[in-house]
Amino acid sequence: SFLSATDKSFNKTLFTMGLPKNLSIYWTLSTLLAFWFLFIYAPMTLPRRHPHVLSDFPFLAHLVGVYVIYLGCVVNTLFTPSTLNGNARPWHILIGRCAMVAGIVGVISGFYKSWIPFGAVPLGFAIPVSIGGVAQLIAQYMGYTAIKRFQKLKQQIEQIETSGVKSSVELENLKDEKDKALRTHIASMVALFAAACGIPACVRVAEQFGAYQLIAIISLVVAMQLMVNPFAMTYVKKPDQGVGETTLLQGEA
């Protein structure tokens, strides 16, 4: 596709310049949407729509949750554990843990503010953002369980190799399962960033299309969903082998 071809050229240019290996066209588009929503749209509209936000604890909790998890996604999808010569690993883990907790807080408080009392928030906004909240929780759960499985399998493999076994059917099966778990974690976190956290932002963008708002929402959400797979694939390329390789990056968790 045009976007995939653009990303290959984009990735080659960035690698030549020595910029972070995970800086792709998909990350850039997702981040631009996040920054527009968090730092341009929200500051301009919140004072008018929610003048007493600081005294509204559920809404304030929702805002904190949204900002932490959305920005956490921005940072962690750029700085994966193997970046900065491995120095990003402890920060990636810390930010990830904070974002997971903040995400749950944001979704619960968001559901409360969207539906209690019923009708306080227009259904045209409450329904899609609630769908986004459910998608977010699913992505968080899948990503968390996948990385835990990856870590467990990695430990099992290390124990077998330490015992002196370097090659066996069992060992190869464990390595395959470990790679599959890491791929699931990557795909889930990319879906969390681009598809789930991006839904409220897409709704606000769609509002600018007036009478064509519904068509715009559907088109934007579908576009974000279609972007998840190619976005995730950017993490299974080794830049030193050339753009287009599909070898799973090692040490990413």
Side-chain angles (χ1 to χ4, degrees):
S1 68
F2 171 75
L3 199 56
S4 296
T6 302
D7 180 60
K8 289 182 180 180
S9 176
F10 189 65
N11 189 270
K12 285 181 178 178
T13 302
L14 293 173
F15 181 64
T16 302
M17 295 170 62
L19 293 175
K21 62 185 180 183
N22 297 322
L23 192 58
S24 66
I25 191 70
Y26 306 106
W27 180 90
T28 302
L29 290 174
S30 299
T31 299
L32 286 174
L33 178 64
F35 275 54
W36 171 81
F37 183 57
L38 298 176
F39 300 114
I40 298 177
Y41 178 83
M44 290 176 60
T45 58
L46 280 177
R48 173 170 49 86
R49 292 186 174 184
H50 302 280
H52 306 295
V53 61
L54 295 180
S55 60
D56 186 343
F57 180 75
F59 189 68
L60 187 60
H62 175 66
L63 283 182
V64 172
V66 167
Y67 272 79
V68 172
I69 193 169
Y70 213 171
L71 292 176
C73 287
V74 170
V75 174
N76 270 10
T77 49
L78 181 62
F79 295 104
T80 49
S82 64
T83 55
L84 303 179
N85 296 319
N87 292 320
R89 178 182 171 82
W91 294 104
H92 181 92
I93 294 172
L94 177 61
I95 291 171
R97 287 173 177 171
C98 291
M100 290 298 102
V101 174
I104 295 172
V105 171
V107 169
I108 293 175
S109 54
F111 279 146
Y112 176 82
K113 291 300 296 182
S114 294
W115 298 102
I116 300 175
F118 181 79
V121 175
L123 293 180
F125 182 74
I127 291 174
V129 297
S130 295
I131 292 173
V134 172
Q136 177 185 316
L137 292 178
I138 292 172
Q140 286 188 230
Y141 174 78
M142 291 183 64
Y144 177 79
T145 54
I147 202 61
K148 286 300 180 183
R149 178 164 176 74
F150 170 86
Q151 292 167 349
K152 181 180 179 180
L153 290 166
K154 185 178 180 181
Q155 186 177 35
Q156 290 178 343
I157 291 169
E158 289 173 351
Q159 289 174 346
I160 293 174
E161 291 180 335
T162 301
S163 68
V165 178
K166 298 300 179 182
S167 179
S168 69
V169 174
E170 179 187 6
L171 187 59
E172 293 307 312
N173 287 339
L174 286 174
K175 288 181 177 179
D176 288 342
E177 288 182 34
K178 184 192 73 168
D179 283 354
K180 182 179 179 181
L182 183 54
R183 288 178 187 272
T184 300
H185 173 71
I186 292 171
S188 298
M189 294 300 96
V190 166
L192 172 64
F193 178 27
C197 290
I199 287 181
C202 287
V203 172
R204 293 311 190 190
V205 171
E207 288 178 347
Q208 313 307 313
F209 289 83
Y212 301 97
Q213 179 177 334
L214 180 60
I215 296 175
I217 290 176
I218 295 173
S219 300
L220 287 169
V221 171
V222 169
M224 298 298 282
Q225 294 289 337
L226 293 176
M227 194 170 73
V228 169
N229 187 58
F231 189 176
M233 286 301 295
T234 64
Y235 296 94
V236 294
K237 298 172 184 174
K238 287 186 176 179
D240 58 325
Q241 294 177 332
V243 176
E245 296 292 334
T246 56
T247 303
L248 188 64
L249 286 169
Q250 297 301 315
E252 285 292 8

